[in-house]
Amino acid sequence: VPTARSTLDPNDELPVPPEIYAKHKKRGAIHNDYIDAINHFGDVRGFEFLENRIKSTDPRPPIDVLMQSLRSVLYARDSLNSSFYEPYLKEIKVAAFEQLGFYTNKLDMGPKDKTCLREAMEALQGIMELIMTPEEAIHVTDKFYCDLALKDLTSAKGLEGKVRGLKTFTGFIERTKLKEDTTNWFKDLFWLGGSQQQQQQSLLPKPKPVSVAWLTKWFKDNNVESWVCDFSHPDLTRLGTEILAFISANSSVKGGLVEKIWAQASGTHESTKHNIFEALLKLLPNLPSSEVDALGSKLKEIPPEQHDNATLELAAKFTLNFNASSSSSSSSSSPSVGASVMWNLIQ
């Protein structure tokens, strides 16, 4: 934003602009021209324009415009006066969440728009850290992402929406493995000598660790287990299994899980059946004894003439893995269940 300072003779005495939006700090912190530019931007109703653009629903701002609008506020955040930004950012936060929710539900977004959506959400999280603690800002955005992922799973009509929701959840699971990053997000800003790219990278929030306890509770409270058991596609099987494995490793699963997964293998192509059986084997170590018993019973109930390569491979792997799984459970079944299945097959 051009300022009056740039049009004056350097020897002239400069007027002191009103500091309604941003306040001059000690010299060397942030260049005075930058502060003047922020105040001038506010004087010409720039902040009002940004707010109205973010709030507009008819028409809605394109996702790239929404992202750039939020970033404009983000880049000025450390210079803004609290008397201005506290009420202003609260208004922006509510409107931005509504807009992001709208765009997240669009199934026809291209890769560029999806990138803009992610960067808009990251910018909003950085903005919120002015009106709440970083932990509170992360919690709000994490819950927003989880709510949207669940909405994808429960209301999406196509495969893409369901996979998107599952990938969001597996991304949260990966974040439970992160260690806290104590680096300063706000160093190397471009007006201190760093590049604009460095500024953007330092201001946008980095992925933060997620509490295993929080994520497990959110999954249980929202009955995620019942929504990730759709194994009708390899991607759904792979991602759903990862989520079920996390839940079963950190909490208890509902009874009938094996029955629900087993039923989906009936009448399917052998490759699909193989993927489903591999999922069961991956879940086996953390399943309660009743579920392990149920899997053993299912294997024994298969008539010899109805076995195929997938069921034979499952029986063999179940035999090899049963002792390991039963050692951590109080299964009423004997470790010979797997062996008896194999014995019946060779009769």
Side-chain angles (χ1 to χ4, degrees):
V1 178
T3 66
R5 182 183 298 273
S6 61
T7 64
L8 296 175
D9 187 292
N11 297 320
D12 291 342
E13 186 174 344
L14 301 178
V16 179
E19 299 180 340
I20 298 174
Y21 304 96
K23 188 173 184 179
H24 290 79
K25 300 180 181 179
K26 63 180 181 180
R27 184 167 296 279
I30 296 179
H31 198 287
N32 286 337
D33 280 351
Y34 179 72
I35 301 300
D36 291 347
I38 294 176
N39 284 310
H40 178 72
F41 183 74
D43 289 340
V44 297
R45 302 176 65 186
F47 286 109
E48 181 182 343
F49 174 81
L50 280 177
E51 179 181 355
N52 291 337
R53 199 73 181 97
I54 293 171
K55 287 182 173 181
S56 177
T57 57
D58 187 21
R60 291 182 184 273
I63 185 61
D64 59 332
V65 173
L66 178 64
M67 180 269 290
Q68 293 292 353
S69 299
L70 291 172
R71 279 191 167 186
S72 297
V73 179
L74 173 67
Y75 295 158
R77 57 166 239 180
D78 287 346
S79 305
L80 298 177
N81 290 330
S82 60
S83 58
F84 163 68
Y85 73 65
E86 287 180 357
Y88 181 75
L89 296 187
K90 287 179 181 178
E91 291 289 325
I92 283 183
K93 180 191 75 171
V94 174
F97 270 123
E98 195 279 329
Q99 298 283 19
L100 292 170
F102 169 80
Y103 280 111
T104 302
N105 288 326
K106 292 184 66 176
L107 298 180
D108 57 346
M109 294 181 68
K112 182 179 178 180
D113 285 345
K114 290 179 180 178
T115 299
C116 288
L117 178 63
R118 175 182 57 79
E119 292 177 350
M121 191 66 227
E122 291 172 343
L124 178 58
Q125 180 178 321
I127 290 171
M128 289 193 300
E129 290 179 4
L130 270 182
I131 54 178
M132 56 184 68
T133 66
E135 292 74 18
E136 289 173 334
I138 292 171
H139 177 75
V140 169
T141 52
D142 283 350
K143 185 178 182 302
F144 175 78
Y145 278 128
C146 284
D147 288 342
L148 288 175
L150 185 61
K151 190 172 184 179
D152 279 334
L153 282 179
T154 58
S155 61
K157 297 180 180 179
L159 175 65
E160 182 183 355
K162 292 181 180 179
V163 170
R164 182 175 63 235
L166 292 173
K167 284 185 175 179
T168 298
F169 287 147
T170 56
F172 271 91
I173 292 173
E174 286 301 309
R175 284 176 55 196
T176 64
K177 306 171 186 177
L178 293 177
K179 294 182 179 179
E180 187 70 29
D181 184 358
T182 58
T183 57
N184 184 358
W185 296 356
F186 307 106
K187 63 182 180 180
D188 296 329
L189 305 187
F190 72 89
W191 53 81
L192 297 180
S195 68
Q196 185 171 0
Q197 183 179 10
Q198 286 176 312
Q199 178 215 17
Q200 293 174 353
Q201 291 174 344
S202 62
L203 278 173
L204 294 176
K206 297 179 180 179
K208 305 290 280 184
V210 172
S211 162
V212 171
W214 180 86
L215 186 58
T216 302
K217 184 178 186 302
W218 194 94
F219 281 164
K220 299 296 286 185
D221 290 346
N222 291 276
N223 198 26
V224 169
E225 178 186 328
S226 64
W227 292 104
V228 299
C229 289
D230 179 0
F231 287 0
S232 58
H233 186 275
D235 287 341
L236 299 180
T237 303
R238 174 177 54 84
L239 296 167
T241 301
E242 185 175 343
I243 296 167
L244 287 171
F246 175 84
I247 294 173
S248 61
N250 296 286
S251 183
S252 59
V253 295
K254 295 179 180 179
L257 179 62
V258 165
E259 178 73 33
K260 183 182 295 186
I261 296 176
W262 182 273
Q264 298 182 65
S266 178
T268 61
H269 187 273
E270 191 168 319
S271 61
T272 301
K273 188 183 295 186
H274 171 79
N275 289 335
I276 293 175
F277 288 165
E278 285 295 314
L280 281 171
L281 289 170
K282 184 177 180 179
L283 296 172
L284 186 65
N286 292 312
L287 292 179
S289 59
S290 59
E291 295 297 303
V292 176
D293 292 345
L295 181 55
S297 298
K298 290 293 184 184
L299 285 168
K300 290 195 294 183
E301 291 170 1
I302 301 175
E305 65 275 8
Q306 292 184 13
H307 278 285
D308 55 23
N309 289 337
T311 57
L312 290 173
E313 185 177 356
L314 175 62
K317 290 183 177 180
F318 183 78
T319 302
L320 293 173
N321 288 285
F322 190 87
N323 282 329
S325 65
S326 63
S327 65
S328 61
S329 68
S330 57
S331 175
S332 60
S333 296
S334 162
S336 63
V337 168
S340 67
V341 170
M342 297 303 294
W343 176 254
N344 291 336
L345 290 175
I346 62 177
Q347 294 303 307

